[in-house]
């Protein structure tokens, strides 16, 4: 059955006129190779940065200082202060070790965006917003751990080792899915 036309213009059921054809996804083997390769390189580089200025920059400056400042805003009476890789406070603080600063989730997000076939603009905007999301969620995770350690130590291990990492990964995975879904609709 032929498609109806108007003035020699073919009928397009999705209403798309003059839009780019959708990008074909990479083959699964290529997507997995890129994802694992990028993630592996980032993990290796982060391991090489241990006990260097890079680790101090990421942990102390970009993770501990903002978290301590947030504690001071929320509960000034806690008298929290950043000291190297720790939030120190009378009544209990928190150590932010390599692995607690959220880099692994950021690396997963970078690898995921590297492995999918998106335009550069979509990729960069999605990645920038996603990295911001990871930072905010990780700061919330650190605050939850700080207050759990001080107020409900029995919850600390469950939050630290299971619940909060799973929530962080799930939230970032949902974000990534939403970006992909939106790009497919555009």
């Amino acid at each position: 059955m032929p498609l109806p036309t108007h003035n020699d213009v073919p009928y397009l059921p999705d209403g798309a006129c003059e839009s780019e054809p959708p990008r074909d996804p990479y083959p699964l083997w290529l997507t997995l190779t890129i994802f694992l390769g990028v993630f592996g390189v980032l993990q290796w580089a982060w391991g090489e940065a241990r006990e260097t200025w890079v680790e101090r920059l990421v942990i102390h400056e970009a993770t501990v200082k903002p978290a301590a400042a947030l504690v001071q805003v929320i509960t000034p009476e806690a008298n929290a202060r950043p000291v190297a890789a720790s939030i120190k406070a009378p009544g209990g603080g928190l150590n932010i070790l390599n692995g607690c600063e959220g880099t692994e989730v950021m690396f997963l997000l970078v690898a995921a965006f590297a492995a999918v076939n998106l335009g550069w603009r979509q990729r960069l905007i999605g990645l920038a917003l996603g990295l911001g999301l990871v930072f905010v969620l990780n700061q919330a995770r650190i605050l939850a751990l700080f207050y759990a350690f001080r107020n409900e130590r029995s919850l600390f291990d469950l939050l630290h080792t299971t619940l909060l990492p799973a929530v962080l990964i799930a939230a970032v995975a949902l974000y990534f899915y939403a970006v992909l879904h939106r790009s497919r609709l555009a």
Side-chain angles (χ1 to χ4, degrees):
M1 176 168 156
L3 293 175
T5 61
H6 289 290
N7 300 334
D8 297 326
V9 176
Y11 171 72
L12 299 173
D14 64 358
C17 296
E18 299 178 26
S19 65
E20 272 186 43
R23 294 175 175 266
D24 290 332
Y26 293 148
L28 182 59
W29 69 267
L30 182 58
T31 300
L32 288 173
T33 301
I34 294 170
F35 177 82
L36 293 173
V38 169
F39 183 73
V41 167
L42 291 171
Q43 282 289 89
W44 170 81
W46 183 238
E48 291 297 306
R50 278 187 181 245
E51 299 180 19
T52 68
W53 66 271
V54 174
E55 183 183 56
R56 286 187 293 279
L57 176 72
V58 171
I59 293 177
H60 180 66
E61 298 296 327
T63 306
V64 172
K65 279 187 174 182
L70 286 169
V71 170
Q72 279 302 104
V73 168
I74 296 168
T75 51
E77 64 276 5
N79 196 25
R81 60 195 193 319
V83 178
S86 300
I87 301 171
K88 300 286 186 183
L94 191 65
N95 293 326
I96 310 296
L97 304 174
N98 190 313
C100 297
E101 72 295 317
T103 54
E104 285 86 0
V105 177
M106 289 183 185
F107 296 163
L108 286 170
L109 190 63
V110 170
F113 272 104
V116 294
N117 192 5
L118 288 175
W120 282 105
R121 184 170 183 206
Q122 287 176 311
R123 189 183 311 246
L124 291 177
I125 291 170
L127 183 57
L129 293 174
L131 292 175
L133 175 67
V134 172
F135 175 79
V136 168
L137 292 174
N138 195 59
Q139 287 294 304
R141 182 183 72 84
I142 290 169
L143 290 176
L145 292 172
F146 177 83
Y147 289 111
F149 184 75
R150 293 172 60 86
N151 300 317
E152 194 63 49
R153 288 189 183 183
S154 62
L155 283 178
F156 180 82
D157 283 335
L158 175 66
L159 291 173
H160 180 257
T161 59
T162 307
L163 188 60
L164 294 177
V167 167
L168 187 60
I169 290 170
V172 172
L174 285 172
Y175 167 79
F176 182 70
Y177 173 78
V179 170
L180 287 183
H181 183 69
R182 184 168 185 228
S183 74
R184 301 292 186 246
L185 295 177

